[in-house]
Amino acid sequence: MATIPTEHDAAALARRLLSWVRPPTAANRLKAKRQDSGGEPSAGPKRINLALQGGGAHGAFTWGVLDGLLADGRLTVDGISGTSAGAVNAVMLAHGLATRGADGARECLAAFWNATGHSSGLPSLQRDVVDRLFPFFPGRAWFDAVAQFWGPQQFNPLNINPLKELIERFVDFDAIRRGRHPLFIAATNVETGDLRIFTRDDISAEAVMASAALPTLFRAVEIDGAPYWDGGYTANPPLTPFLRATETEDVLLVQINPLTRSGAPADSNGIASRASEISFNTALLADLRAVDFVNRMIDDGRLPRGTAAGHYRRIRLHRIVLDGNGELFDARSKATVDREFFAHLHALGEDAARRFLTAHFDDLGRRSTLGDVSGAAA
């Protein structure tokens, strides 16, 4: 059972991430305050890092968010992180930006999600594989019973993974590696339980498959002799790389799984769905607390802020979250592979992006809008 990360856990995670901490000085405190004083914004588009959470078919919401942000034209994407479906969106975005800019990114994302929908024009054999495999996702009542006795070795003995073919169809990984956007894809080492971050330099279709390898559906993906499962168990999505990886200090989290819901579910499907949400948000809570811990260390003058070696960014966090305005999105809908459903989620994402920009564009570069995360109640 997942446990909620505490302040102590966040501090321990931050200590593993940070190579050293200097004693507090008046000069460090003054510099941190000056750097976060909210001066005049620079001319031109504002730069932002994107952190994309996983969530199966709900990743189409993230497609809509990205489409809306790119179409608006007032933001420039710097770094990108992602897990599971978020990793798929991340590499589609990175590929498009590296080859044809914002327009190319929008086209690549649309082509992928349209191809994944049931009414798409995939080759018949590949379409048949997708149709047969998607019903096996957790949340299907009969699968919950079968999964107690069968693993992917039994119901998928040939280890057929249509995701790899789809990814390779739309993504030029060499182009991503030649690009300028830092990329961070999370996967979980099955043997150690540790997080592995695949960066732009070592990204591949296998790395994306590993990030999205739900153990109930796919076998572990072996990379460099180690087996990997879905990255949602350890970072959903990765936030801590942005503490040192990019000049940009603003990070926009696109969140699929809600942190809070009203009331306790009573039926088995609702219980399983909420348990899954809690489990896959535990890693996010740990990263939020680690970022908050580092920010406070900077504010106290115990860490140097900047882009030089050994310096850290003071992250300003923002969030767009899937909100169906009363619609129920759960584990079952995460397994819905339908073009109309994807289009609906895309529209929700576009609308969410517009609302975010209307409410918070002026805040970018000035302050966090996510709120207090020290108690993980955001």
Side-chain angles (χ1 to χ4, degrees):
M1 180 176 293
T3 57
I4 303 300
T6 64
E7 178 80 3
H8 178 270
D9 298 326
L13 175 59
R15 283 195 295 271
R16 292 198 296 270
L17 294 167
L18 307 178
S19 58
W20 55 273
V21 174
R22 68 172 52 173
T25 66
N28 281 347
R29 293 192 187 97
L30 179 60
K31 183 178 180 182
K33 290 180 180 179
R34 285 176 175 172
Q35 286 175 311
D36 206 37
S37 60
E40 289 298 320
S42 59
K46 294 187 177 184
R47 305 187 69 84
I48 196 165
N49 297 311
L50 294 172
L52 312 178
Q53 194 176 55
H58 295 174
F61 170 81
T62 302
W63 163 36
V65 170
L66 298 176
D67 206 17
L69 296 177
L70 293 169
D72 181 83
R74 290 181 289 167
L75 299 180
T76 296
V77 178
D78 195 353
I80 310 165
S81 74
T83 298
S84 197
V88 176
N89 279 319
V91 296
M92 298 296 160
L93 174 63
H95 163 84
L97 292 173
T99 53
R100 294 189 53 246
D103 288 341
R106 296 180 68 195
E107 291 174 5
C108 185
L109 285 160
F112 171 80
W113 283 101
N114 285 328
T116 308
H118 272 168
S119 57
S120 68
L122 284 177
S124 59
L125 179 59
Q126 189 177 29
R127 178 75 275 149
D128 183 63
V129 170
V130 173
D131 289 345
R132 290 176 182 275
L133 286 181
F134 269 110
F136 284 92
F137 269 99
R140 308 280 178 166
W142 65 268
F143 174 74
D144 291 341
V146 173
Q148 297 181 48
F149 309 101
W150 284 5
Q153 286 85 352
Q154 284 75 45
F155 64 73
N156 186 11
L158 299 180
N159 199 26
I160 298 172
N161 192 329
L163 179 61
K164 185 174 188 291
E165 296 181 45
L166 284 169
I167 292 171
E168 291 177 336
R169 175 179 171 183
F170 295 108
V171 177
D172 180 349
F173 287 96
D174 287 333
I176 292 178
R177 286 187 281 268
R178 292 192 301 267
R180 65 173 182 83
H181 298 278
L183 184 64
F184 310 100
I185 301 301
T188 303
N189 187 306
V190 178
E191 296 176 333
T192 66
D194 290 337
L195 166 68
R196 174 166 177 179
I197 298 290
F198 294 92
T199 66
R200 181 181 64 196
D201 292 336
D202 56 7
I203 192 62
S204 64
E206 287 74 19
V208 180
M209 289 167 55
S211 183
L214 280 171
T216 51
L217 177 60
F218 298 120
R219 298 183 192 180
V221 177
E222 186 170 313
I223 300 175
D224 299 330
Y228 291 95
W229 278 343
D230 195 294
Y233 296 112
T234 47
N236 194 22
L239 299 178
T240 52
F242 297 122
L243 290 168
R244 302 188 69 173
T246 69
E247 294 184 7
T248 303
E249 292 189 321
D250 287 274
V251 177
L252 174 58
L253 166 66
V254 183
Q255 186 175 335
I256 302 298
N257 299 313
L259 289 179
T260 61
R261 285 192 186 272
S262 299
D267 62 277
S268 59
N269 287 326
I271 292 170
S273 179
R274 186 58 184 147
S276 175
E277 289 173 345
I278 293 172
S279 175
F280 279 103
N281 273 330
T282 298
L284 172 61
L285 292 172
D287 265 21
L288 288 172
R289 280 182 164 149
V291 168
D292 178 72
F293 177 83
V294 173
N295 283 350
R296 287 187 282 115
M297 296 291 279
I298 291 173
D299 292 344
D300 290 343
R302 293 180 176 273
L303 281 176
R305 180 182 182 183
T307 58
H311 286 55
Y312 302 89
R313 320 297 181 260
R314 191 187 187 286
I315 298 299
R316 293 181 290 268
L317 285 167
H318 314 275
R319 178 175 63 178
I320 295 176
V321 62
L322 174 60
D323 180 2
N325 294 321
E327 294 182 66
L328 177 61
F329 296 110
D330 56 15
R332 285 189 170 187
S333 59
K334 286 182 180 181
T336 302
V337 186
D338 180 82
R339 200 171 187 176
E340 290 184 1
F341 181 63
F342 290 165
H344 176 56
L345 286 170
H346 174 271
L348 290 177
E350 276 191 311
D351 182 64
R354 283 192 295 268
R355 287 187 281 111
F356 171 82
L357 290 171
T358 298
H360 297 304
F361 179 79
D362 290 340
D363 294 316
L364 297 174
R366 293 177 177 271
R367 68 181 187 90
S368 294
T369 60
L370 181 57
D372 179 22
V373 300
S374 61

